[in-house]
Amino acid sequence: MTNLWGGRFSGDMDEIVKYYNASIFFDQKMYNEDIDGSIAHVTMLAEQGIVTKDEADRIIAGLEAIRAGIESGEITFNVEDEDIHMGIESRLIAMIGDTGKKLHTARSRNDQCQVDGRLFLKKEIRNILELLYGLENIVLAKAEQYADSYTIGFTHMQHAQPVTLGFIFMAYFQMFRRDIERLQDTLERMDYCPLGACALAGTTMPINRHRTAELLGFRAPAENAMDAVSDRDYSLEFLSDASISMMHLSRWAEEFAWWNTSEFAYIAIDDSYCTGSSIMPQKKNPDMAELVRGKCGRVYGDLMQLLTVMKGTPLAYNKDFQEDKESLFDAIETWKASLQIFAGMLEKTEFRLDMIEKQLNKGFLNATDIAEHFAKQGIPFREAHSIVGHMVRLCEENHCDFADLTDEQLQSVDPRITKELLGDISIPACVNARNSFGGTAPDEVRRQISVGRTWLDSVR
Ligand code: ARG
């Protein structure tokens, strides 16, 4: 086959050059977008009188036949095609003859590959948003279910303060909410059509870029042709969004892995989300949580790859840019799969409140509440903090809990303190009283859930 660009060449490409040069093996994923872009382009060319209506109709019919051929498996691509753009165009010319040669008027593969990339990514972003909405829905349902279930809040992986499980779920809800909003922002910012930017500088042909932008569902044509063909910010933004969201999933996956240990046993991950060991018959491993954690690193790698590709590229198009696709596709697939896996695992995980409860009276979880309680009774907080610190020491020495301290012992710490002054320091009383805005009290968490639900309904 002679190359579509072969006019000025007298010799063939070396065989290994063909393979090194080709992107067809990965960019054929975008065949639908390439065909949609071509149909919009030729529709506009006909409206502008650059090709006739009849020519446009024949080109469109040919492109649809190629689409059907690809879908049925009748048309397959190989290294000679180089990339999806030439793969389709050369099939078109072979199918409908010389008219097919008019399709590439007033465009270049430089803008074409960007039309494909943006259309493809917009579609995938919508798919990912759906997965995130689904995950948020599960998180909200779990938060409702466990709004009154007390558990341990950690800092430094040490017992810190009692909270509710619903409260923890709503913390993750906020992270995924920001993931959604970031993705929506990315979608907004990338919604400009590069088609008609041509190689780098626009064209002398009387095209209408606003029309192709409209036909392809973009907000407007990209403002500057040189930027349009050399911009990969949208992919980088997406990869950053993916990295941050994978980091959120990875953090929760890490919690799942340790909540699931026999030492903690706060949760039992469903059998359907675990695997066994080939040697140790008793094993049930939280592989899905670990894989989500592991795949986060892979998505970071995708982001670093493209950032590094872009950093030394002068304006305008450089072939380096062809390296923008595989990492992007990898991040899309990895993120989608991880969201699905994580949502399924979360939905089916059993939270073992009995096991959690056993830990609630360890680690003086209510120490801060007692200090606040004293402060409310007029003892300056710094003093209250120190008093409770001494109480902790006393309890540790006597192997007991705050509630076991006698009046005598309390007064040895500070004469102002009595058992009566301690009041109700049970875990429920402490948690229920922490009702400041954003706090962990069940009523406050229910407010957060309701705000979250309203927001989710408004965006999905
Ligand atoms: N396959 C190429 C890519 O993905 C298409 C653009 C080629 N343009 C060029 N001037 N060689 O970047």
Side-chain angles (χ1 to χ4, degrees):
M1 186 203 291
T2 353
N3 263 314
L4 290 175
W5 46 252
R8 61 104 66 220
F9 286 79
S10 52
D12 273 347
M13 265 194 278
D14 196 287
E15 206 52 25
I16 63 164
V17 173
K18 278 188 195 168
Y19 279 92
Y20 200 67
N21 186 53
S23 54
I24 186 65
F25 302 108
F26 45 88
D27 66 14
Q28 56 180 297
K29 227 181 161 83
M30 306 190 298
Y31 74 88
N32 258 318
E33 288 72 21
D34 198 77
I35 290 170
D36 291 343
S38 290
I39 291 175
H41 184 64
V42 77
T43 302
M44 177 277 291
L45 290 180
E47 287 171 3
Q48 298 297 108
I50 300 170
V51 299
T52 66
K53 171 86 174 72
D54 178 59
E55 286 167 336
D57 287 347
R58 271 187 289 146
I59 289 174
I60 292 171
L63 289 166
E64 289 299 2
I66 291 168
R67 190 189 326 254
I70 298 171
E71 256 141 41
S72 71
E74 225 168 283
I75 294 177
T76 54
F77 298 102
N78 60 58
V79 71
E80 303 297 337
D81 289 303
E82 189 174 319
D83 59 27
I84 188 60
H85 325 299
M86 293 207 297
I88 289 173
E89 193 186 337
S90 58
R91 296 280 179 311
L92 180 73
I93 295 166
M95 190 181 286
I96 69 166
D98 281 353
T99 306
K101 294 180 181 165
K102 296 199 171 181
L103 172 62
H104 209 56
T105 313
R107 76 171 187 188
S108 152
R109 281 183 295 158
N110 295 355
D111 54 346
Q112 202 182 342
C113 71
Q114 285 311 287
V115 174
D116 296 8
R118 285 181 193 236
L119 286 175
F120 185 86
L121 188 57
K122 279 173 67 178
K123 176 186 76 185
E124 290 293 359
I125 287 179
R126 292 196 184 97
N127 292 335
I128 293 168
L129 281 171
E130 286 303 321
L131 292 171
L132 279 163
Y133 299 151
L135 174 61
E136 286 288 60
N137 218 14
I138 296 171
V139 175
L140 280 178
K142 290 272 174 198
E144 261 153 21
Q145 186 182 350
Y146 295 107
D148 296 291
S149 307
Y150 306 110
T151 186
I152 295 109
F154 292 87
T155 61
H156 312 273
M157 291 180 79
Q158 306 284 313
H159 280 210
Q161 292 191 293
V163 295
T164 63
L165 268 178
F167 181 63
I168 294 180
F169 290 136
M170 289 310 290
Y172 281 104
F173 181 88
Q174 298 304 329
M175 295 181 224
F176 300 134
R177 172 176 176 162
R178 291 192 295 274
D179 292 342
I180 289 170
E181 290 173 340
R182 251 187 297 274
L183 213 39
Q184 288 168 334
D185 284 353
T186 301
L187 202 51
E188 285 283 298
R189 216 172 353 265
M190 71 180 285
D191 201 15
Y192 295 91
C193 185
L195 191 56
C198 301
L200 75 165
T203 174
T204 61
M205 310 292 287
I207 58 170
N208 182 351
R209 291 192 56 212
H210 291 86
R211 179 67 176 138
T212 41
E214 183 197 346
L215 284 169
L216 290 169
F218 286 99
R219 184 187 304 125
E223 188 75 15
N224 176 286
M226 193 175 251
D227 175 53
V229 295
S230 46
D231 166 37
R232 298 294 182 277
D233 289 3
Y234 67 97
S235 301
L236 289 168
E237 272 194 54
F238 173 83
L239 290 167
S240 312
D241 301 346
S243 296
I244 294 172
S245 179
M246 284 298 295
M247 175 270 291
H248 293 149
L249 290 173
S250 177
R251 291 182 71 184
W252 208 356
E254 163 67 12
E255 297 209 297
F256 264 63
W258 57 267
W259 289 348
N260 190 62
T261 56
S262 26
E263 284 74 14
F264 273 83
Y266 288 180
I267 58 173
I269 302 179
D270 196 74
D271 277 6
S272 56
Y273 281 78
C274 293
T275 68
S277 154
S278 61
I279 176 170
M280 297 168 282
Q282 84 286 12
K283 292 280 276 182
K284 179 182 152 186
N285 297 323
D287 292 36
M288 293 308 106
E290 292 168 350
L291 271 175
V292 166
R293 197 173 59 190
K295 283 180 192 284
C296 173
R298 173 182 177 136
V299 173
Y300 288 1
D302 293 330
L303 170 63
M304 286 308 133
Q305 183 267 351
L306 187 55
L307 278 171
T308 312
V309 163
M310 295 308 292
K311 72 178 268 295
T313 51
L315 287 176
Y317 180 86
N318 306 272
K319 193 68 173 236
D320 316 39
F321 296 170
Q322 181 166 287
E323 290 295 310
D324 67 349
K325 290 169 198 61
E326 285 164 292
S327 52
L328 184 69
F329 295 159
D330 181 70
I332 290 170
E333 292 312 318
T334 308
W335 190 8
K336 284 201 301 195
S338 302
L339 284 168
Q340 258 171 301
I341 288 285
F342 197 89
M345 180 173 72
L346 172 63
E347 192 162 35
K348 287 185 158 185
T349 291
E350 182 199 340
F351 286 81
R352 305 199 46 195
L353 303 180
D354 54 328
M355 296 302 287
I356 295 173
E357 203 182 333
K358 285 185 192 160
Q359 303 299 325
L360 280 172
N361 53 3
K362 294 185 189 156
F364 307 102
L365 282 170
N366 47 3
T368 312
D369 302 271
I370 298 174
E372 286 188 357
H373 191 63
F374 290 164
K376 278 187 217 154
Q377 312 202 30
I379 301 177
F381 184 78
R382 257 306 140 237
E383 280 178 41
H385 183 284
S386 166
I387 293 168
V388 181
H390 281 88
M391 285 167 59
V392 169
R393 212 195 304 159
L394 205 55
C395 288
E396 279 183 340
E397 281 162 14
N398 292 289
H399 306 289
C400 70
D401 210 350
F402 291 133
D404 307 318
L405 295 175
T406 62
D407 273 339
E408 216 175 29
Q409 284 171 314
L410 287 170
Q411 273 158 21
S412 76
V413 173
D414 189 290
R416 288 169 290 186
I417 309 303
T418 62
K419 242 179 140 46
E420 206 190 330
L421 199 77
L422 273 183
D424 186 355
I425 55 168
S426 67
I427 296 293
C430 294
V431 174
N432 298 351
R434 220 159 316 105
N435 57 4
S436 56
F437 188 89
T440 188
D443 284 348
E444 171 53 26
V445 171
R446 288 203 177 84
R447 184 198 63 75
Q448 295 170 30
I449 294 171
S450 140
V451 171
R453 170 78 58 205
T454 306
W455 166 78
L456 187 60
D457 290 346
S458 77
V459 292
R460 55 188 317 195

